[in-house]
């Protein structure tokens, strides 16, 4: 009900409320001034009449007038004079009130207009703060817009204090995100060395002549776990790298990337008994070729891995261009057969370390970073990724990137 009321009766803006308040105060002050002027004018007329036609104390003033050939004197002359005073007073008061009200309305309208302009100038710094906050909030990832600052110039007043406080807050958030990315990258680099050493020691133990079958089986399990940890760390490194905007871009045709990735994943598709269909058309874009290859590779690998295991599974990879208002987009669409995915679970698939279904055992091949890396790479190139359930099971995932300029 409250939402409906807001839609029916939207709240006025702060600028409009300030303008109306300023106009109301001005009109009240104008009416007060007009009333005081009326009282002073009325009093001045009375004093002027009494001083001109009333005799001083101790003296007698005789009044006589000739009106239409008739001589008036005494009380008749005074009554005639009083009637003239009333007519004069009425005409003067009517003129004062009428013209005063007209002038008040005209000046009040000009004051309201001036108040609207002044309120706009006063609120302009606040609009700048709001626009900056909206740009940061509208960034595909929060940390992408944290480099912006308001940098408001002007007198050191409350508005500038607010803008400077906002800049300080954004700067601290930016430093926090940078520190988090550096920590992930450094930790991933540091963890690679012991994992490499572990793999070498396990392989050495497995290839000894005295190694028993139990030791070899244990070694295979340890190597699988070690390989999964290496994939996890590589994914973290790639995720940390892809979350930085790509500045050095080169022309890339997504059709060539699709063809290359399909060939790379042919062995995995054969082992999983999944057929990969390739439908390519030119889809030129610009960016980091290695990151874009990883984007397509993760999509295809995800489609192969999360598929049916009865030998009838398939993955369809399509590259194309789509016209749009902003110059068009280059797209890669990967659809596959597989288990049914509820629509409410799709947003969770793009979060790091999330896996659909029951694949949560420690020996699982997936590190849970595939689609999160896809989204990070797409956003770093100014694009986006969307997914929807496919009828009959599986997913349809589409990565959209800006079309390369001609």
């Amino acid at each position: 009900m409250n939402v409906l009321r807001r839609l029916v009766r939207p709240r006025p803006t702060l600028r409009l409320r300030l303008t109306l308040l300023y106009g109301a105060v001005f009109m009240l002050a104008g009416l007060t001034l007009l009333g005081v002027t009326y009282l002073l004018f009325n009093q001045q007329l009375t004093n002027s009449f009494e001083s001109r036609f009333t005799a001083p104390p101790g003296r007698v003033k005789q009044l006589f007038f000739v009106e239409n050939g008739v001589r008036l004197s005494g009380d008749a002359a005074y009554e005639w004079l009083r009637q003239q005073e009333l007519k004069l007073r009425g005409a003067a008061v009517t003129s004062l009130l009428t013209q005063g009200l007209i002038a008040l309305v005209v000046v009040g309208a000009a004051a309201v207009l001036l108040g609207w302009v002044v309120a706009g100038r006063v609120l302009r710094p606040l609009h700048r703060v709001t626009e900056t906050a909206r740009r940061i909030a509208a960034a595909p990832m929060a940390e992408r817009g944290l480099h912006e600052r308001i940098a408001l110039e002007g007198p050191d007043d409350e508005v500038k204090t607010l803008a400077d406080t906002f800049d300080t807050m954004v700067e601290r958030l930016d430093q926090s995100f940078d520190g988090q990315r550096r920590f992930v990258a450094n930790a991933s680099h540091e963890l690679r060395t012991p994992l490499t050493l572990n793999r070498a020691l396990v392989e050495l133990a497995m290839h000894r002549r005295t190694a028993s079958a139990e030791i070899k089986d244990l070694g295979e399990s340890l190597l699988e776990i070690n390989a999964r940890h290496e994939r996890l760390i590589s994914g973290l490194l790639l995720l940390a790298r892809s979350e930085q905007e790509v500045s050095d871009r080169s022309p890339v045709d997504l059709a060539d990337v699709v063809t290359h990735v399909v060939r790379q994943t042919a062995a995995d598709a054969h082992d999983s008994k999944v057929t990969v269909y390739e439908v390519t058309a030119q889809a030129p874009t610009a960016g980091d070729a290695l990151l874009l290859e990883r984007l397509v590779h993760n999509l295809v690998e995800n489609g192969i891995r999360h598929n049916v295991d009865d030998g009838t599974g398939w993955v369809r990879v399509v590259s194309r261009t789509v016209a749009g208002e902003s110059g068009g987009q280059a797209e890669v669409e990967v659809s596959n057969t597989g288990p049914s995915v509820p629509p409410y679970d799709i947003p969770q698939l793009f979060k790091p370390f999330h896996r659909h279904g029951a694949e949560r055992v420690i020996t699982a091949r997936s590190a849970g970073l595939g689609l999160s890396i896809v989204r990070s790479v797409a956003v770093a190139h100014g694009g986006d990724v969307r997914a929807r359930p496919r009828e009959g099971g599986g997913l349809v995932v589409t990565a959209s990137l800006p079309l390369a300029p001609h």
Side-chain angles (χ1 to χ4, degrees), residues 237-365:
L237 280 172
L238 184 60
L239 185 61
R241 178 188 173 192
S242 62
E243 286 184 348
Q244 301 174 2
E245 186 175 0
V246 178
S247 57
D248 187 13
R249 304 193 180 194
S250 57
V252 179
D253 192 345
L254 294 180
D256 298 334
V257 177
V258 167
T259 301
H260 177 69
V261 170
V262 169
R263 291 176 182 173
Q264 278 188 331
T265 57
D268 291 339
H270 181 269
D271 294 340
S272 301
K273 299 179 181 180
V274 173
T275 305
V276 179
Y277 299 98
E278 176 187 349
V279 182
T280 57
Q282 286 188 345
T285 186
D288 189 309
L290 292 178
L291 288 179
L292 293 176
E293 179 185 344
R294 173 55 60 179
L295 180 148
V296 179
H297 189 280
N298 281 10
L299 288 178
V300 176
E301 186 180 44
N302 193 72
I304 294 174
R305 180 175 297 149
H306 301 282
N307 215 305
V308 296
D309 55 1
D310 57 1
T312 62
W314 52 265
V315 175
R316 186 169 181 264
V317 189
V318 180
S319 63
R320 60 174 178 250
T321 58
V322 179
E325 296 180 357
S326 58
Q329 291 181 323
E331 291 187 349
V332 174
E333 181 182 275
V334 178
S335 56
N336 70 319
T337 53
S340 298
V341 180
Y344 58 81
D345 198 27
I346 288 181
Q348 305 296 326
L349 298 179
F350 291 94
K351 294 184 177 180
F353 305 109
H354 179 85
R355 304 181 189 90
H356 178 64
E359 189 188 298
R360 297 183 181 274
V361 294
I362 194 170
T363 57
R365 295 179 59 191

Side-chain angles (χ1 to χ4, degrees), residues 71 97 206 227 233 277 314 396:
R71 187 175 183 274
L97 294 179
M206 288 176 58
I233 292 173
Y277 299 98
W314 52 265
V396 179

